Amino acid sequence: MIAKFNVIIHSSSRDAIILLCCVRQVKRSEAEPNEPLPEQQSKMSIPATPQTIYRKDYQPPAFLIDHIELTFDIHEDYTAVKSQLHCRRQTEQADLILNGENLELTSVFLDGQPCDSKTYAVTPQQLTLFNVPAQCVVSIEVKIRPQENTALSGLYRSRNYLCTQCEPEGFRRITYFPDRPDVMAKYTTTMIADKSQYPILLSNGNLVASGETPEGKHWVRWEDPYNKPSYLFALVAGDFDCLQDDFVTRGGRCVQLRIYVEKECLEQAHHAMRAVKKAMQWDEEIYGCEYDLDIYMIVAVSDFNMGAMENKGLNIFNDKYILASHETATDEDFLHVETVIAHEYFHNWTGNRITCRDWFQLSLKEGLTIFREQSFTEDTTSETVSRIDEVDYLRTIQFSEDNGPLAHSVRPESYIEINNFYTATVYNKGSEVIRMMRTLVGAETFQAGMDLYFERHDGQAVTIEDFVRVHEDASGKDLQQFRLWYSQAGTPRVQVEDYYDAEKKSYTLTFKQSCPPTPEQPTKYPFHIPIQMGLLENDGRELFNELVELREPEKTITLENIQSKPVPSLLRQFSAPVKLEYDYSDAALALLFKHDTDYFNRREAGVRYASRIVFQLMNNAISIVPAIYLEACRSTFQTMQHDRWLLSRMLTIPSERYLAEQMKVVDVDGIHSAREVLLKAIATHLRDDLLASYQELQSKASQNQFDMHIIADRSLKNFSLGYLMLLEESGIHEIALQQFQTALGHQMTDTMAALKALINVPHLRDEVLKAFYDRWHDHALIVDKWLALQASSKLPDTLDRIKQLFLHSAFDVRNPNKVYALIGTFGANPIVFHQGSGAGYQFLADVITQLDHINPQVAARMLKPLTDWKRYDLKRQVLMREALTRLTNASSPDIYEIVTKSLTTEEQYYG
């Protein structure tokens, strides 16, 4: 399951994020659309302290379920669910405990005989049958009400269709079951529904039978031949258009491909179908993983908590990651569709065929599948651009998690609400850990380890330890110390010092590692850190490129026959998720920025130099941007025209959020002001180059094709426009306005680029926003772009506009995609969210209070910007803490866990 929420711009897998949700059919009272409903208000009470779950307390399930037969009889105001569980005891415990939430129990049978009230007990969370036989069949009937399920976990109604989301613990909202990933069963699912309202009935596996009932309904039966945990169960009922194709596997099986979309959206699904086939072919070629069912289905829905879900054979997607045409989607949207489709498809083996023993092992499937997804994207687009984007996301989002009160290891030791651990640490840092493992054992040996993993553990629910062990067995390498990457939280720091002995012609490097304390882990052991490094001569020629393995707290290496002091290129390709500390001179950074043969590190030198300049400007150490840096930018711009997509990344300076991560106490206003000075200096220095580039690429980049060369041209053209707009020249404003007017309704990439450039021009902003909304007001996904753009503005009145948009008819607080677009983007806009009055904090607390009674998962995701309150100045600390304290009486464990950890974590765990 993808849980990154790419609110602004990218991640899993990972992540900014992403989503659409909430049930529009819930009957409202006369309350305003974006105010709590009366029945929700009545539930606002202080919760009992939620239970903490610990990894050390894991026990195997007392009973296994070999087979479950499900029947869904769908009615207008409820759905009757009958389940028949074929149970087998595997411990001494004789009581069968089944999870269940929000279920109306109708009947319970044991081996065909009705159970009386003395033989079972029901609580709001469980059904317990006492003293059942070692092997038995339990039959249960419940009623559920999908139309009332605003949390979108379990079975819920959205618009005119029903669909499910069961990961991690949604199946217990469908029927009573041991809802844990190590209980794997074969599923047979029968669905009965009105044919006119629900002509399409889908579930996992293969369609084995269908027919009509005497009452005039129709029914279908799906059978999944593979054991799976309950979180992979899926059901969809509704009326959709269907795009059909097929794929012939390397073993000769013809697999039916089906993508179901809402009516009138079929033309926007063709790119997704091409992406499915590309992912299937890549997985066969690279990993030898062949699809194993007769049919592979995707259903795109507009109300969904996550980006997508990998249910066996029936993936359910947020339509944001399926629908794409050049009129309605940007190049970035096209790329995200490919990435998310690949991620969910790759789960078929890394997550479905081999799944997690328990939820503490979540990175076993998500970190691994993010790694596979990233490898796919690197192979099919640009390896360096993809790597830059991956690392930018990691440093901005995951490093922030490691640097605050919510820091946790890739394999956490405890949780209160498992939904809160679908994080960048579990996903993206988990992927980096696997990337390091590949680096240490070598690419071919790593592939042999993956082959062994599939062979040894197919059909099992396993642990991270099992995954590491297969790579030890395949490579013969001791990875015991390496396992600390899974158990220790925090971002390690690697300090590097060097010494050149001119007489001996030797060069010495000393590496020192440390890791700051994190909650519940005050002391850290040394990590096993792979450091890919090179050396450059002063003319830019490369001398050395090797891998250094740092296992000790301190390690020294000496290189002989070095004729002059070199410039080290350290941590190439970001070979480990660490913070590297080395005292580069300005001249050394400029040299690397212009000449490093490792393009990732070439860009990294530019990032380091730009960051240094921002902090120097903030501290009044300099008053203008150094000419050596600006000349390095010009040299890069002129010499890298052969790779225009990469060039647009090379001159992108660090974001305000990234810069904030470098500070012990965040100076919000100082970062913003200094960064604006740097941006304008670059734009001024490169004005003629940028304008010439824009004019040259204007016609080349106008073609509506998903072609990497055209995408690269379009990327550099719009990158150039963004910089030029900083000069506030009326002629440039006219260029942007002309691009907007020409592209509107025809080419979304150019439209959004122009709109983004104009959103901070007060006298043009309202004109273009109105034109955009008038053209696209009836397209929900495009309206999300309109909301997000306004929430990203740097103008002083942005918060007032966000409050107005919150009440706008285009916004629905019950719809997660709307919330992520408006509120999520607002929380990621530092200069607006952290304005000195604290109005941003209070507004966010108001929104979260309301959301918590509608959709706790979404509410919890919106809360993150408040959690780092101790990293800001004293005035902001007080205001942020006040906002957090207001949320201590939240009704959900999702909010309770985050708030309590944020308010109680010691000062030492910040920064």
Side-chain angles (χ1 to χ4, degrees):
M1 174 173 55
I2 272 282
K4 297 185 296 190
F5 302 98
N6 300 316
V7 175
I8 303 178
I9 292 179
H10 176 90
S11 312
S12 271
S13 206
R14 5 224 1 19
D15 357 299
I17 324 37
I18 274 186
L19 314 130
L20 229 134
C21 223
C22 266
V23 182
R24 298 188 179 111
Q25 283 70 32
V26 173
K27 295 181 179 179
R28 301 178 185 268
S29 70
E30 295 181 358
E32 290 299 318
N34 293 326
E35 292 181 357
L37 298 177
E39 63 269 23
Q40 294 164 344
Q41 291 173 329
S42 67
K43 297 177 184 178
M44 296 181 184
S45 59
I46 300 175
T49 303
Q51 179 184 3
T52 300
I53 310 297
Y54 294 94
R55 185 172 73 90
K56 64 181 176 60
D57 294 335
Y58 170 83
Q59 295 292 329
F63 284 82
L64 298 178
I65 311 298
D66 293 320
H67 183 205
I68 176 173
E69 299 167 71
L70 290 163
T71 300
F72 292 81
D73 192 355
I74 299 170
H75 299 265
E76 182 61 29
D77 56 347
Y78 72 93
T79 295
V81 183
K82 296 179 181 178
S83 58
Q84 192 170 88
L85 283 59
H86 297 257
C87 308
R88 174 166 49 92
R89 188 194 305 167
Q90 65 168 1
T91 71
E92 295 301 315
Q93 178 179 313
D95 293 346
L96 175 62
I97 300 174
L98 307 174
N99 305 110
E101 292 179 4
N102 301 332
L103 305 175
E104 182 183 330
L105 182 62
T106 303
S107 65
V108 183
F109 285 74
L110 178 62
D111 288 331
Q113 299 300 312
C115 297
D116 61 41
S117 59
K118 296 179 180 179
T119 60
Y120 70 90
V122 181
T123 71
Q125 287 79 38
Q126 290 180 342
L127 167 63
T128 301
L129 281 74
F130 305 128
N131 198 29
V132 301
Q135 286 192 311
C136 59
V137 176
V138 176
S139 302
I140 303 168
E141 183 171 356
V142 301
K143 285 185 179 179
I144 56 177
R145 304 187 186 280
Q147 72 279 7
E148 297 176 6
N149 182 1
T150 62
L152 310 184
S153 173
L155 178 66
Y156 63 92
R157 180 186 296 279
S158 173
R159 301 195 187 194
N160 295 317
Y161 49 80
L162 298 178
C163 68
T164 56
Q165 170 56 34
C166 292
E167 187 179 355
E169 296 177 339
F171 192 74
R172 64 189 61 186
R173 299 166 69 95
I174 293 174
T175 191
Y176 288 102
F177 194 79
D179 188 13
R180 45 189 289 172
D182 56 354
V183 176
M184 303 174 68
K186 288 185 170 63
Y187 282 67
T188 300
T189 305
T190 301
M191 304 165 64
I192 306 167
D194 180 86
K195 190 171 185 176
S196 61
Q197 186 173 1
Y198 301 107
I200 294 171
L201 302 174
L202 308 175
S203 191
N204 308 89
N206 299 314
L207 181 64
V208 294
S210 62
E212 294 190 0
T213 70
E215 297 78 21
K217 290 185 174 184
H218 73 138
W219 62 270
V220 299
R221 181 168 297 126
W222 292 83
E223 197 169 87
D224 189 345
Y226 295 95
N227 284 337
K228 65 172 181 284
S230 55
Y231 81 84
L232 289 174
F233 174 78
L235 175 153
V236 174
D239 189 6
F240 301 90
D241 283 340
C242 180
L243 182 63
Q244 303 185 38
D245 207 330
D246 55 54
F247 178 84
V248 178
T249 69
R250 65 178 186 170
R253 178 191 293 111
C254 184
V255 179
Q256 302 173 55
L257 306 179
R258 302 287 185 267
I259 298 180
Y260 295 89
V261 296
E262 292 189 20
K263 296 293 185 179
E264 301 180 2
C265 293
L266 201 60
E267 289 304 309
Q268 298 179 61
H270 290 281
H271 175 67
M273 183 63 82
R274 290 190 292 270
V276 169
K277 298 174 80 170
K278 183 189 288 190
M280 295 178 81
Q281 182 174 349
W282 185 89
D283 212 19
E284 287 190 351
E285 292 175 353
I286 303 302
Y287 283 91
C289 291
E290 186 174 333
Y291 188 66
D292 50 4
L293 291 170
D294 298 335
I295 187 169
Y296 176 68
M297 299 174 286
I298 290 175
V299 179
V301 299
S302 56
D303 296 313
F304 199 64
N305 266 349
M306 294 295 182
M309 179 60 208
E310 70 266 20
N311 317 295
K312 181 72 178 178
L314 177 57
N315 293 180
I316 300 179
F317 271 64
N318 184 322
D319 59 4
K320 178 185 177 78
Y321 293 99
I322 290 296
L323 304 180
S325 70
H326 289 285
E327 294 78 17
T328 63
T330 64
D331 291 336
E332 186 178 30
D333 294 331
F334 274 83
L335 292 167
H336 282 163
V337 167
E338 280 203 347
T339 298
V340 178
I341 282 176
H343 180 98
E344 304 307 331
Y345 176 76
F346 297 155
H347 264 310
N348 188 61
W349 279 88
T350 50
N352 296 5
R353 290 281 291 255
I354 306 175
T355 195
C356 303
R357 185 196 71 175
D358 54 73
W359 290 120
F360 297 102
Q361 320 296 329
L362 181 59
S363 194
L364 175 71
K365 75 183 185 74
E366 295 299 350
L368 177 55
T369 304
I370 285 285
F371 170 78
R372 279 161 35 81
E373 163 212 312
Q374 290 176 346
S375 301
F376 167 81
T377 303
E378 291 166 11
D379 285 352
T380 58
T381 57
S382 162
E383 182 178 4
T384 303
V385 171
S386 297
R387 188 65 184 138
I388 287 170
D389 289 348
E390 292 156 12
V391 174
D392 281 357
Y393 180 85
L394 186 84
R395 284 171 160 170
T396 302
I397 306 301
Q398 194 281 319
F399 278 21
S400 177
E401 287 180 2
D402 267 350
N403 199 26
L406 303 181
H408 56 278
S409 57
V410 173
R411 182 176 60 190
E413 294 301 318
S414 67
Y415 63 81
I416 291 176
E417 174 50 63
I418 185 56
N419 282 306
N420 287 336
F421 281 90
Y422 283 74
T423 64
T425 298
V426 169
Y427 278 65
N428 298 73
K429 188 174 181 178
S431 171
E432 294 298 316
V433 172
I434 294 168
R435 186 182 292 265
M436 285 190 290
M437 195 183 304
R438 182 180 65 176
T439 299
L440 289 169
V441 304
E444 290 187 8
T445 304
F446 176 80
Q447 192 60 56
M450 290 302 303
D451 293 342
L452 180 59
Y453 179 63
F454 295 135
E455 176 186 342
R456 182 180 292 178
H457 295 299
D458 186 16
Q460 298 176 15
V462 299
T463 66
I464 285 171
E465 181 69 25
D466 295 318
F467 178 76
V468 177
R469 189 177 295 114
V470 298
H471 290 287
E472 285 182 318
D473 292 347
S475 67
K477 194 174 184 73
D478 180 2
L479 296 174
Q480 186 62 41
Q481 183 182 3
F482 183 81
R483 287 169 170 82
L484 292 171
W485 283 103
Y486 284 106
S487 60
Q488 291 189 155
T491 304
R493 295 170 180 169
V494 176
Q495 295 174 296
V496 184
E497 297 176 351
D498 62 349
Y499 172 73
Y500 178 70
D501 189 322
E503 183 178 340
K504 295 182 178 180
K505 303 297 182 184
S506 65
Y507 179 63
T508 300
L509 284 161
T510 299
F511 301 86
K512 299 177 183 179
Q513 66 161 301
S514 62
C515 188
T518 54
E520 300 181 8
Q521 290 186 347
T523 303
K524 304 298 173 70
Y525 297 100
F527 290 86
H528 186 178
I529 303 174
I531 301 174
Q532 191 73 44
M533 61 166 289
L535 299 179
L536 272 67
E537 291 187 310
N538 290 325
D539 60 3
R541 288 183 297 170
E542 184 169 281
L543 290 172
F544 174 88
N545 183 29
E546 292 292 339
L547 179 69
V548 176
E549 294 188 34
L550 178 61
R551 294 172 177 263
E552 311 87 348
E554 181 175 328
K555 178 174 184 174
T556 298
I557 63 171
T558 300
L559 303 173
E560 307 292 345
N561 299 318
I562 306 298
Q563 300 305 309
S564 61
K565 184 175 181 179
V567 175
S569 172
L570 301 167
L571 208 66
R572 287 183 158 184
Q573 287 296 304
F574 203 66
S575 57
V578 302
K579 292 183 178 179
L580 180 73
E581 298 175 3
Y582 174 80
D583 188 18
Y584 282 106
S585 67
D586 290 355
L589 288 175
L591 176 75
L592 292 170
F593 192 26
K594 290 192 287 186
H595 297 297
D596 201 333
T597 55
D598 182 278
Y599 278 107
F600 178 89
N601 263 22
R602 186 169 175 179
R603 192 260 188 172
E604 176 70 7
V607 169
R608 284 179 174 270
Y609 203 169
S611 300
R612 175 178 296 176
I613 291 168
V614 169
F615 293 129
Q616 289 174 334
L617 289 167
M618 289 173 63
N619 297 326
N620 296 316
I622 58 174
S623 58
I624 61 173
V625 177
I628 185 175
Y629 172 77
L630 295 174
E631 282 305 311
C633 289
R634 171 169 283 158
S635 173
T636 299
F637 194 85
Q638 293 175 346
T639 59
M640 287 198 61
Q641 291 289 328
H642 63 283
D643 193 338
R644 288 167 171 161
W645 200 21
L646 178 57
L647 176 54
S648 66
R649 296 296 195 277
M650 282 288 182
L651 296 182
T652 299
I653 73 168
S655 68
E656 294 179 28
R657 295 175 73 187
Y658 174 83
L659 292 164
E661 278 303 303
Q662 316 308 309
M663 302 189 72
K664 178 74 173 179
V665 178
V666 179
D667 181 354
V668 177
D669 302 306
I671 289 173
H672 177 74
S673 298
R675 186 175 181 275
E676 290 295 302
V677 169
L678 176 57
L679 284 167
K680 289 185 179 180
I682 296 171
T684 301
H685 194 75
L686 298 183
R687 180 193 181 281
D688 294 342
D689 297 286
L690 292 164
L691 185 57
S693 176
Y694 179 85
Q695 292 170 339
E696 176 194 352
L697 297 173
Q698 176 69 335
S699 58
K700 288 184 179 180
S702 62
Q703 302 174 56
N704 278 350
Q705 295 180 36
F706 183 73
D707 175 273
M708 296 314 299
H709 295 293
I710 295 174
I711 289 173
D713 288 347
R714 205 151 38 223
S715 176
L716 185 58
K717 179 193 76 169
N718 289 319
F719 168 86
S720 299
L721 177 62
Y723 262 114
L724 288 167
M725 284 294 291
L726 296 169
L727 302 176
E728 301 178 0
E729 298 179 11
S730 59
I732 302 299
H733 290 174
E734 288 302 316
I735 289 174
L737 187 59
Q738 178 63 43
Q739 175 172 312
F740 173 79
Q741 292 169 340
T742 301
L744 183 62
H746 303 287
Q747 217 288 330
M748 185 57 73
T749 304
D750 282 355
T751 302
M752 289 300 296
L755 191 56
K756 183 178 180 181
L758 293 164
I759 197 70
N760 293 307
V761 182
H763 69 281
L764 294 174
R765 169 180 58 175
D766 291 340
E767 173 188 344
V768 292
L769 285 172
K770 182 179 185 303
F772 187 85
Y773 184 75
D774 287 347
R775 173 64 180 83
W776 295 112
H777 66 275
D778 55 349
H779 289 71
L781 294 178
I782 303 178
V783 170
D784 292 345
K785 298 179 186 295
W786 179 78
L787 292 168
L789 263 179
Q790 294 179 78
S792 70
S793 172
K794 295 179 284 188
L795 294 178
D797 66 345
T798 297
L799 179 56
D800 290 336
R801 282 182 168 258
I802 291 169
K803 290 179 178 179
Q804 294 169 9
L805 288 168
F806 190 82
L807 301 174
H808 195 284
S809 60
F811 181 79
D812 184 354
V813 73
R814 292 167 173 76
N815 183 296
N817 266 15
K818 301 289 184 240
V819 174
Y820 296 130
L822 184 66
I823 307 304
T825 305
F826 157 64
N829 185 348
I831 197 63
V832 175
F833 178 69
H834 290 289
Q835 58 186 256
S837 68
Y841 310 146
Q842 293 303 318
F843 174 65
L844 183 61
D846 290 340
V847 173
I848 291 169
T849 298
Q850 185 171 338
L851 275 170
D852 191 43
H853 300 282
I854 300 170
N855 193 322
Q857 286 187 43
V858 176
R861 293 184 186 119
M862 294 301 98
L863 178 55
K864 297 299 176 66
L866 286 171
T867 61
D868 287 339
W869 61 279
K870 289 186 181 178
R871 297 194 60 235
Y872 292 85
D873 58 83
L874 184 58
K875 178 184 176 182
R876 286 187 170 92
Q877 281 191 32
V878 171
L879 295 169
M880 294 175 80
R881 183 181 174 88
E882 287 177 355
L884 267 177
T885 303
R886 285 181 50 201
L887 298 170
T888 55
N889 289 340
S891 64
S892 72
D894 309 61
I895 298 298
Y896 173 86
E897 180 173 28
I898 294 174
V899 170
T900 53
K901 286 182 177 180
S902 301
L903 290 174
T904 59
T905 299
E906 296 296 328
E907 185 80 31
Q908 62 178 318
Y909 303 129
Y910 290 81

